[in-house]
Amino acid sequence: MVGSNDDTTGDLTIQVDWDKRGPFEDGGARPSLTVLTGYDAGRIHVLDSLETLVGRADECDIQMLEPTVSRKHARFIATSDGVEVFDLRSSNGVTINGHRIQRQWLKEQDVVGLGGKITFKFAYVTESDFRYQEQLFDNAVHDSLTRLYNKRYFLGVLGQYLLTGRKKLDSLTLLMLDLDHFKAINDTHGHQVGDAVLRHVSTLIRQESRNNDTIGRYGGEEFIMLLADVDPESAVRIAERIRKTIHQHTLSINNLHVKLTVSIGLASAAEAEGSPDQLIAIADERLYIAKRRGRNRVCFASDNGEANSACK
């Protein structure tokens, strides 16, 4: 199997009978692809455009961050006759029910494979089917209390980013965030207030994040955040902005005014050489250094390369 560095995808002209193209009848069933494999399993994509491009590239309608998937891997063409899939000269091919194809019309319940690792189920769905599947997926990947991504889904996203971004690991930074003295808040004010604190902090983190940041609840009062396309200095500034925002926004609930602080540890993916476990371990160690140095601070690698030595 060919890796992403051997991508041979090029522009491919597809001849389509344009007289047969057109939108599907309102209120009818729509063609869809449901992801069957990986951390994104269960996500449904409705093919509501006449053309749907699938691959790793940012301009793809369905982006799959998998190294064996080409930048522009396959195109789905919807006409009044149905949906036809085209392999766009991908490195690792397109399969239908296990058989490699160049182009083929899709049938209900066909299993479409891309690159040997990504599979979809093709089906026609009604609006209610789509909304139901969408809700199932949403509940499966989000933490029920904070509505941030849950740990399982976040780690899946992290793994895919590291696999597909090995040439720019220095532009990926992981933040581990832990609320200071959260146990004391729970013990003093009860779990209802503790839950409100977690929701409050989640909202503030989300408020200070960028559109391309990925945020999750790692467990208990610990949060995790992946910053993409950011240099180390900018990552520290983002972390410091989050820390200040949490410190400045007191939670008022049930006639209580709860002041909050957070400790944050940072690690660059380049430091961990692309290993997700090592990346988390480095950020976690810096988080606890921030705790030991007085809490309510951000800890990161120092300019002289001595890990874990700089906090602010």
Side-chain angles (χ1 to χ4, degrees), residues 39-40 43 137 141 149-157:
Y39 73 95
D40 230 13
R43 185 187 292 277
F137 178 77
V141 303
Y149 287 131
N150 58 32
K151 181 178 179 179
R152 179 194 67 82
Y153 188 77
F154 182 94
L155 292 179
V157 173

Side-chain angles (χ1 to χ4, degrees), residues 210-277:
R210 306 166 305 156
N211 290 337
N212 60 337
D213 296 333
T214 306
I215 315 166
R217 184 182 178 193
Y218 197 66
E221 69 272 26
E222 196 165 19
F223 302 89
I224 189 167
M225 189 171 180
L226 180 64
L227 309 181
D229 301 320
V230 64
D231 59 74
E233 294 78 14
S234 297
V236 172
R237 285 196 294 270
I238 291 170
E240 181 63 13
R241 188 174 71 224
I242 291 170
R243 184 198 66 77
K244 286 181 178 178
T245 296
I246 292 172
H247 187 210
Q248 291 167 357
H249 287 76
T250 298
L251 173 65
S252 297
I253 179 174
N254 299 338
N255 297 319
L256 295 171
H257 302 287
V258 184
K259 289 201 62 75
L260 302 166
T261 61
V262 66
S263 299
I264 305 176
L266 279 74
S268 165
E271 297 178 84
E273 299 180 343
S275 164
D277 291 342

Side-chain angles (χ1 to χ4, degrees), residues 55 132 289 308:
Y132 177 69
I289 289 174
N308 307 327

Side-chain angles (χ1 to χ4, degrees), residues 38-202:
Y39 73 95
D40 230 13
R43 185 187 292 277
I44 186 169
H45 301 275
V46 171
L47 306 181
D48 52 4
S49 299
L50 298 177
E51 296 187 17
T52 302
L53 180 63
V54 183
R56 287 196 340 269
D58 290 340
E59 62 265 34
C60 289
D61 303 296
I62 301 176
Q63 187 180 33
M64 305 302 296
L65 296 177
E66 164 60 49
T68 62
V69 172
S70 295
R71 285 181 51 75
K72 296 179 182 178
H73 198 107
R75 181 173 287 130
F76 294 79
I77 303 291
T79 73
S80 57
D81 290 333
V83 176
E84 192 173 12
V85 59
F86 296 79
D87 184 350
L88 301 180
R89 301 194 187 106
S90 65
S91 299
N92 295 312
V94 176
T95 61
I96 306 294
N97 302 321
H99 302 287
R100 188 159 182 169
I101 59 95
Q102 291 302 313
R103 61 184 290 181
Q104 185 167 314
W105 290 96
L106 294 175
K107 303 186 301 295
E108 185 81 11
Q109 302 300 311
D110 273 348
V111 176
V112 182
L114 304 183
K117 290 191 176 182
I118 299 295
T119 56
F120 300 92
K121 181 180 73 175
F122 175 77
Y124 286 89
V125 295
T126 63
E127 181 73 11
S128 59
D129 292 334
F130 171 68
R131 297 302 174 198
Y132 177 69
Q133 183 64 38
E134 199 174 43
Q135 188 62 53
L136 286 179
F137 178 77
D138 186 74
N139 289 338
V141 303
H142 287 97
D143 173 63
S144 59
L145 178 65
T146 64
R147 302 310 297 169
L148 300 177
Y149 287 131
N150 58 32
K151 181 178 179 179
R152 179 194 67 82
Y153 188 77
F154 182 94
L155 292 179
V157 173
L158 174 62
Q160 290 303 308
Y161 262 105
L162 293 174
L163 280 172
T164 58
R166 288 192 173 275
K167 288 186 177 180
K168 50 179 184 179
L169 291 178
D170 56 354
S171 69
L172 291 172
T173 296
L174 188 76
L175 276 61
M176 297 291 291
L177 310 90
D178 190 88
L179 281 172
D180 299 325
H181 305 298
F182 181 73
K183 185 178 184 301
I185 293 172
N186 259 341
D187 292 345
T188 303
H189 304 297
H191 290 283
Q192 182 180 14
V193 172
D195 286 351
V197 165
L198 294 174
R199 286 192 294 267
H200 175 71
V201 169
S202 300

